[in-house]
Amino acid sequence: MAGSRKGSRSTGASRARTVSQSKASTALPTTSGESGTSAASPSPLAPVVAPRRRITLKRVLLGVGAVALLLILIGIGYAYYTVQKTLPTTSGTLKLPGLSAPATVTRDIYGVPHIVAANINDLYEAEGYVHAQDRLFQMFFFRAVGEGRLSEYFGPSQVDTDRFLRTVGFRRAAEAEWAQTAPQVRSALEAYSRGVNEFIRAHSDSLPLEFGFLGAKVEEWQPVDTLTFGKVQAWDLTQTWSNDLLTADLLSNLGPDITAELLPGYPKDAPVVVPGANTGSVLPALKAYSDKIRPVLPSFGLGDIGSNNWVVAGSKSTTGKPLLANDPHLGVRSPSIWYQVHLSTTDGKYNAEGFGFAGAPGIITGHNQNISWGVTNVGADVQDVFIEKLDPSGHPGQYASGSSWLPLKIYTETIKVKEGAPVTQTVRVTDHGPIISDVLPVTATLGVKSPGPWALQWSGAQPGHLLEAVYNLQTASNWQQFRAALQGWSIPGQNFVYADTQGNIGYQMTGNIPLRKKGDGSVPVPGWTGEYDWNGYIPFDALPRAYNPPEGFVATANNKPYGPDYKYQFRGEWAPPWRISRITELLKAKDRLSIDDFKNIQMDTSSELAKKVGDELAALKPTDAPTQQAAKMFQGWNGDLKPDSAAAAIYEVTAQKALSETYSDNLGLDLFGEYLDIEGSTVLQSFEQLLDKPQDPLWDRKETPQKETRDDILLASLTSAVSDLTGALGGTIQDWQWGQIHTVTPAHPFGSQPVIGAMFNLPSVPIGGDQTTVSVGTFSLVEPFSVSSYQSYRMIIDAGDWSKSLGILAGGESGQPFSKHFSDMLTPWQNYQYNPLLYTQQQIDANKESVLTLTP
């Protein structure tokens, strides 16, 4: 490479000399007589009148170029005007009809709005307006997902997606929930909608760029749209039905013993939050769901999303007051799914700051004057697949329920299609739920005699009180009010950690967790017998909780929330214990922890699994020099998956190859692909346990005559990994870096479009970690190594002094690509930097960027 650069410089110098010499040779006097020679005599053939200047090709090109340049400048000017017109007004005064008094929106240097209004309804109306200013297309897109209207805007390719979304019925469930929503919450949601709609009305000719590309009109926002988004978000975090189908397929193809190795379950001795048949194949259905439905969900329907949170008491804090941390792991998107905001009223009753969603009023995590809270997903199994029995000849339009035949509920949906004919969708629903096999390719019997359609029961399909819980949470002032608010948090089930200014800490699990008459919901079951039906939900007061525990801390990382003595032993897709074990280890490592200690925990990229695999790789005996060099790098390696680590890059590629070599021949490529895609970290957990059994038959490759052991597979995988990395990163092993192949690119729904896609995507950045580390950098095992879920924000709350709290989004506050706040947090986020969560008026004034006054 150095020689190449020298060659470039030499060539450039040579070209410079040639140009200089050429100019000198032509720089001659052009005026007659000045050169010392006489002027030439006129030719006798020369015309008396001077000839016109000839129109040469050169002159034509110059003229065309000038016109082209002018047109380009005009185009740039128009584009600049168009872009600037779509950016929000953040200074001055604007009318916002519906307010009872003026409200102010102070945006700080990070683009975060601090909204002050006279009362809660005014506050939420102003928040709706601000959300629309920054994130209107995001709100529009997720509303289209919830309503199953993607085809209307994106064309025929989305018809199958819409058919599934309408069958599940997010909008139907939201409308049923709206009918029973409490009056004060209805009023707040109506106020929020007024704010959104005033922005839409006032900016109908200057909406964000995406609407121009789509050619779409924006309908008014309705309160039920917010409830629909809540249903979509809850679905995104509770897709255990696909695990049920995969389990059935594994049992059918491999039997119970191998299935138990592939799905090992949560280890008995791992930390908990609160101690105490022949199926045919479901692969076509799973693949159709993965290809068509998951990409449009807020977190892409990832099977490996997760989060961390923890809280320590003042007795374990250097401040003498509780500290609380949260970093949700969600799908990589541009803009971020989260929106940071500070909301307060002039009467002092409401002063909350944190992270919420554009499309919903209030905050989801953060703090108010008195308490703070953070969340992680529980992962409880709240979805079951029931195989129904129909008798079209004897009981048309009915399904069996015990000894009776009940009529199917029928909903007819008309799907509008951009540049296509409308599609009519008939949705059939039993008492268990919608029949999803009507919109998925089904060939499987699922082990049931007299096979029939699959109905999906989901706790989120029932009317709940999620938005009431959010509403009440904003102003809760103590543990009792906090728990009272969370009683309405029916979906999605969350692990809440809590801290207050009085020094108390706590943990409360939420969610409607079904009580099953029989079975654990792990596989599809007969629906007509009634024996597997649900029998209500676990009572809220019986859900796991803790208040001022003797350990002085509580931590969760999507791990199992209860111990062996808990009364209700419900099933869940618990994350393997790597993250929670590491967090617990670090929380116990010091008697007292500071904010800086919390930062270090959030940035920790140490992997217990990587260390274990590294020890095995170090013990191998390669025969070729490059693999020998790679193996030596694991001697004494601590398993830290830092972005600049060569060992981390070698480990990850080796592990990926070893998974394929070990499992693909037993499962077959199609089932192996779905296993990787749906189970994610469970695959790695199975692999970790398999490492302890070097002679296990799973290591053996069926297509080879010899019997392979663990070390054979690991050596072949390491050798192949070194070869691949040499081709990708060069021959100097020490220069390889995990971050060179492990990058995050926050992508927009338009991100894959030619020409305009790059405008909406955020730049790619290298990061460390993987799905086993506290600082998570999950990648799909099917398509390594691009990051698919990450720390979507990081937050650290100081309950002793709210003004010292910190937080940062993975991206930026604005959803508009030409805004200065579209991506300004991405690089600091990548480098584990934090912004202050500005809370006091003095802080806000010292860091304000603009002030907008909204008047009635």
Side-chain angles (χ1 to χ4, degrees), residues 146-169:
E147 293 180 332
R149 295 176 61 186
L150 294 170
S151 305
E152 187 174 335
Y153 307 113
F154 297 95
S157 64
Q158 298 301 313
V159 168
D160 288 343
T161 303
D162 283 343
R163 293 180 67 232
F164 182 88
L165 296 172
R166 295 200 186 200
T167 297
V168 173

Side-chain angles (χ1 to χ4, degrees), residues 316-400:
K316 278 191 66 68
S317 162
T318 56
T319 68
K321 289 286 188 176
L323 297 175
L324 182 149
N326 197 188
D327 57 291
H329 308 160
L330 295 174
V332 179
R333 274 202 178 275
S334 172
S336 169
I337 187 65
W338 295 103
Y339 187 89
Q340 185 180 337
V341 69
H342 179 193
L343 306 165
S344 60
T345 56
T346 54
D347 60 12
K349 294 180 180 178
Y350 192 127
N351 194 356
E353 177 180 36
F355 299 86
F357 301 122
I363 61 171
I364 302 299
T365 68
H367 71 87
N368 60 27
Q369 309 98 304
N370 302 297
I371 71 170
S372 60
W373 63 95
V375 299
T376 67
N377 197 41
V378 172
D381 187 356
V382 296
Q383 295 176 329
D384 284 352
V385 175
F386 287 88
I387 314 304
E388 305 289 16
K389 181 184 290 185
L390 305 183
D391 181 9
S393 58
H395 301 86
Q398 296 181 309
Y399 65 99

Side-chain angles (χ1 to χ4, degrees), residues 372-451:
S372 60
W373 63 95
V375 299
T376 67
N377 197 41
V378 172
D381 187 356
V382 296
Q383 295 176 329
D384 284 352
V385 175
F386 287 88
I387 314 304
E388 305 289 16
K389 181 184 290 185
L390 305 183
D391 181 9
S393 58
H395 301 86
Q398 296 181 309
Y399 65 99
S401 179
S403 58
S404 303
W405 289 87
L406 302 178
L408 289 162
K409 295 177 184 177
I410 304 295
Y411 300 92
T412 301
E413 303 273 357
T414 300
I415 301 172
K416 296 180 181 179
V417 182
K418 185 177 183 179
E419 301 178 355
V423 173
T424 300
Q425 168 72 9
T426 300
V427 179
R428 302 186 294 170
V429 181
T430 73
D431 279 352
H432 294 122
I435 294 178
I436 59 171
S437 54
D438 284 348
V439 288
L440 291 174
V442 175
T443 61
T445 65
L446 295 176
V448 176
K449 296 178 181 178
S450 304

Side-chain angles (χ1 to χ4, degrees), residues 788-847:
S788 54
S789 68
Y790 60 169
Q791 293 175 318
S792 52
Y793 74 69
R794 289 188 288 267
M795 178 179 74
I796 300 173
I797 301 293
D798 185 345
D801 186 349
W802 301 127
S803 68
K804 294 181 179 177
S805 300
L806 305 170
I808 192 164
L809 287 170
E813 185 78 324
S814 176
Q816 305 221 45
F818 291 96
S819 166
K820 64 185 294 186
H821 298 299
F822 180 63
S823 61
D824 56 332
M825 295 190 202
L826 183 60
T827 298
W829 170 89
Q830 173 200 1
N831 294 326
Y832 293 101
Q833 298 170 0
Y834 295 74
N835 298 332
L837 295 183
L838 306 175
Y839 192 65
T840 68
Q841 193 59 49
Q842 181 180 8
Q843 283 183 305
I844 296 166
D845 288 341
N847 293 276

Side-chain angles (χ1 to χ4, degrees), residues 618-646:
L620 297 175
K621 305 297 183 184
T623 57
D624 65 288
T627 311
Q628 288 175 349
Q629 184 181 0
K632 286 181 181 179
M633 298 190 74
F634 293 102
Q635 294 177 1
W637 185 52
N638 61 2
D640 195 340
L641 303 179
K642 296 183 294 184
D644 62 354
S645 169

Side-chain angles (χ1 to χ4, degrees), residues 493-749:
Q494 297 291 289
N495 296 301
F496 279 83
V497 293
Y498 165 96
D500 63 34
T501 56
Q502 301 304 307
N504 302 299
I505 67 170
Y507 160 80
Q508 176 67 59
M509 183 187 138
T510 67
N512 283 348
I513 314 300
L515 294 169
R516 297 172 173 88
K517 293 180 180 178
K518 182 179 178 180
D520 63 359
S522 59
V523 292
V525 292
W528 64 88
T529 66
E531 60 186 322
Y532 294 95
D533 284 356
W534 292 4
N535 191 21
Y537 302 109
I538 298 174
F540 176 78
D541 283 335
L543 292 174
R545 69 178 185 271
Y547 185 60
N548 291 329
E551 297 86 358
F553 70 88
V554 181
T556 85
N558 315 109
N559 53 305
K560 191 175 182 179
Y562 60 84
D565 297 328
Y566 181 60
K567 178 180 179 180
Y568 301 98
Q569 296 284 316
F570 60 91
R571 179 181 172 274
E573 295 298 323
W574 322 125
W578 302 304
R579 283 186 288 120
I580 188 60
S581 296
R582 179 62 174 167
I583 292 169
T584 302
E585 175 189 352
L586 294 173
L587 291 177
K588 290 181 176 180
K590 288 187 174 182
D591 292 334
R592 290 183 178 270
L593 297 142
S594 66
I595 286 179
D596 284 341
D597 292 323
F598 273 39
K599 291 179 182 180
N600 289 333
I601 297 174
Q602 286 188 332
M603 71 175 68
D604 187 82
T605 52
S606 296
S607 169
E608 178 184 335
L609 175 60
K611 174 68 168 64
K612 184 172 184 175
V613 174
D615 289 344
E616 299 298 342
L617 297 178
L620 297 175
K621 305 297 183 184
T623 57
D624 65 288
T627 311
Q628 288 175 349
Q629 184 181 0
K632 286 181 181 179
M633 298 190 74
F634 293 102
Q635 294 177 1
W637 185 52
N638 61 2
D640 195 340
L641 303 179
K642 296 183 294 184
D644 62 354
S645 169
I650 299 168
Y651 153 72
E652 294 286 3
V653 179
T654 301
Q656 186 77 11
K657 290 179 174 293
L659 286 174
S660 179
E661 289 295 310
T662 304
Y663 293 129
S664 62
D665 64 329
N666 291 280
L667 279 68
L669 290 179
D670 290 339
L671 184 56
F672 174 61
E674 289 304 319
Y675 173 56
L676 294 182
D677 194 34
I678 292 174
E679 290 298 339
S681 290
T682 300
V683 178
L684 299 177
Q685 185 184 11
S686 169
F687 183 68
E688 179 185 43
Q689 295 183 11
L690 195 62
L691 289 171
D692 296 329
K693 298 177 282 187
Q695 303 296 326
D696 192 287
L698 279 174
W699 293 110
D700 183 38
R701 296 290 301 174
K702 293 181 179 179
E703 75 276 13
T704 62
Q706 71 275 14
K707 179 182 178 181
E708 286 86 3
T709 65
R710 177 196 65 193
D711 291 352
D712 295 327
I713 294 297
L714 291 181
L715 180 57
S717 300
L718 178 61
T719 303
S720 179
V722 170
S723 175
D724 285 1
L725 285 166
T726 299
L729 304 181
T732 306
I733 292 181
Q734 294 91 333
D735 291 343
W736 296 348
Q737 295 186 5
W738 172 220
Q740 291 176 281
I741 59 175
H742 185 244
T743 60
V744 57
T745 307
H748 185 277

